[in-house]
Amino acid sequence: PAYADNYVVPAEHTEDGVSRVVNLSWPEQAYTAETRFIVATVKSVGGDLKVKKLDLNSGVGYDYQGNLLAQFDLVDRATVQLRAISGIPDRCAGIPTSTCVNYRSGASDEKEHNFVYVPITDSKGRIWLNNNLGAAYTDVDNPTYFNPNHQAGAYDRRGNLTQNPDSYDLDRDWRAYGSLFQWGRKPDGHELIKWSSHTQASPKYQGAGSLANSPVEGAGTNKFIPANDSHGTWVIKENALYSFFGRWYNDSERSNNPCPVGFVLPSYEQFENYSDIILPRLTKDRLSNGQIPNQWNSYTGYWTRNICGYPTTYYYDSDGEIHYVCRDTATGGVTSVHVRATKGPSAIAAGAPVRCIKINSN
């Protein structure tokens, strides 16, 4: 049924010290078991609602919910809340990449990670970032598409803003794809990708880097490091296997963690049970040889923090193939994926997207 109600926003939450009435309404709309959302309108009555400005570093609040401006009570104890919330800056926002990753050379002195994210809460109470790291919607330096409230499906397949995207629009919205990381690497620039369509992408830094000595010190380059043919990682064979332990583990202060402070990559268990967050299925990844195919090459998965980072997260089968666990967005669940190699988890040299979750989430 249709709905309309008003709520008075207290003056303490406004920039000009004037309380305002806000109205929430929606017309009668068709609704089935498959309906994910309805279209509603929130408007200020009698003048502009000038929400008090929030500090970028503290405006999310202790619970990452921001400031409650209005609450509309519905039936069966359901509520709709209007909140003001600041963004969450990227780990390297506002500082040179070389400083952020602590490279003496090999990384740019440019401030190239000016990304801002918004925290969202799923039905299980877990707090996620609303976009992939490096998505165009989060890029302050991209005036065409910067809008941290946008997520995949904000634009339809024809490039028009929409409020009713279908699954095709969600998966083809390249503005939400973001960076493609090699597993365990710092955000040193190797991950930065310029997308122009869901099948067209190019890395910011061309060329190939040399195999790193250890993931602990970092790669020492902003270039993608192609896999070693005999081992399949971006680190020299002798140091690759156990030196990856904990590189993206459940600690937001680990030097290699690419997520904002207070956030980490999800575990594969968390991805297995993720709910009601918008997660675009990228139509390509970056192959372990560094190539980004021009053609559509099926859906790629998302990195998790414990994929190949701990010896028990992968295994060899009887044919000598390595199996590891990652999010398979094509099937909607966790899958065992395998790649043939002589030793070690070769797939970690590929480039894949990252979505972050608040540390210590269930």
Side-chain angles (χ1 to χ4, degrees), residues 69-304:
L69 301 179
Q71 177 169 301
F72 301 89
D73 296 320
L74 309 179
V75 296
D76 297 328
R77 298 183 180 180
T79 62
V80 173
Q81 296 182 338
L82 177 66
R83 290 179 173 271
I85 192 168
S86 68
I88 294 177
D90 189 271
R91 177 171 289 270
C92 296
I95 57 177
T97 300
S98 56
T99 300
C100 181
V101 298
N102 195 28
Y103 286 2
R104 292 184 177 180
S105 62
S108 175
D109 292 330
E110 179 185 350
K111 299 175 182 178
E112 56 190 354
H113 291 82
N114 291 326
F115 307 121
V116 177
Y117 312 97
V118 175
I120 55 175
T121 305
D122 69 15
S123 61
K124 295 181 174 64
R126 298 178 302 197
I127 298 171
W128 302 73
L129 298 186
N130 68 329
N131 273 298
N132 294 350
L133 294 187
Y137 291 136
T138 72
D139 187 358
V140 175
D141 298 321
N142 186 335
T144 302
Y145 294 116
F146 174 65
N147 186 332
N149 289 313
H150 280 174
Q151 296 177 266
Y155 283 81
D156 63 21
R157 70 200 72 178
R158 300 174 184 84
N160 300 315
L161 284 168
T162 180
Q163 291 184 328
N164 190 26
D166 58 26
S167 60
Y168 189 96
D169 296 326
L170 291 172
D171 295 337
R172 266 62 174 182
D173 190 355
W174 49 268
R175 305 157 195 85
Y177 284 3
S179 299
L180 299 178
F181 283 83
Q182 292 185 287
W183 193 91
R185 279 191 68 172
K186 299 179 180 183
D188 49 26
H190 80 282
E191 79 285 359
L192 298 174
I193 302 293
K194 181 178 181 181
W195 296 92
S196 54
S197 75
H198 73 278
T199 59
Q200 299 291 324
S202 60
K204 178 173 182 178
Y205 296 104
Q206 302 290 331
S210 301
L211 291 174
N213 289 324
S214 166
V216 179
E217 288 79 21
T221 179
N222 54 17
K223 295 179 173 60
F224 190 93
I225 299 176
N228 182 318
D229 289 341
S230 64
H231 193 72
T233 76
W234 52 271
V235 176
I236 59 174
K237 179 171 60 177
E238 292 76 14
N239 295 337
L241 189 58
Y242 292 103
S243 64
F244 275 104
F245 175 78
R247 285 305 93 206
W248 275 0
Y249 206 53
N250 190 16
D251 181 349
S252 72
E253 299 309 312
R254 293 272 182 154
S255 61
N256 289 29
N257 179 21
C259 296
V261 174
F263 285 78
V264 292
L265 277 79
S267 67
Y268 62 81
E269 294 89 353
Q270 289 168 329
F271 251 143
E272 180 181 18
N273 296 299
Y274 92 98
S275 60
D276 45 54
I277 62 170
I278 297 176
L279 200 67
R281 298 187 299 176
L282 277 67
T283 56
K284 61 171 64 263
D285 55 10
R286 193 169 187 183
L287 303 181
S288 58
N289 62 8
Q291 295 180 354
I292 303 178
N294 288 330
Q295 75 277 12
W296 179 84
N297 65 313
S298 76
Y299 296 118
T300 186
Y302 282 69
W303 285 133
T304 56

Side-chain angles (χ1 to χ4, degrees), residues 344-362:
S346 65
I348 66 174
V354 166
R355 179 68 65 91
C356 303
I357 191 171
K358 187 177 179 294
I359 191 170
N360 295 328
S361 295
N362 294 327

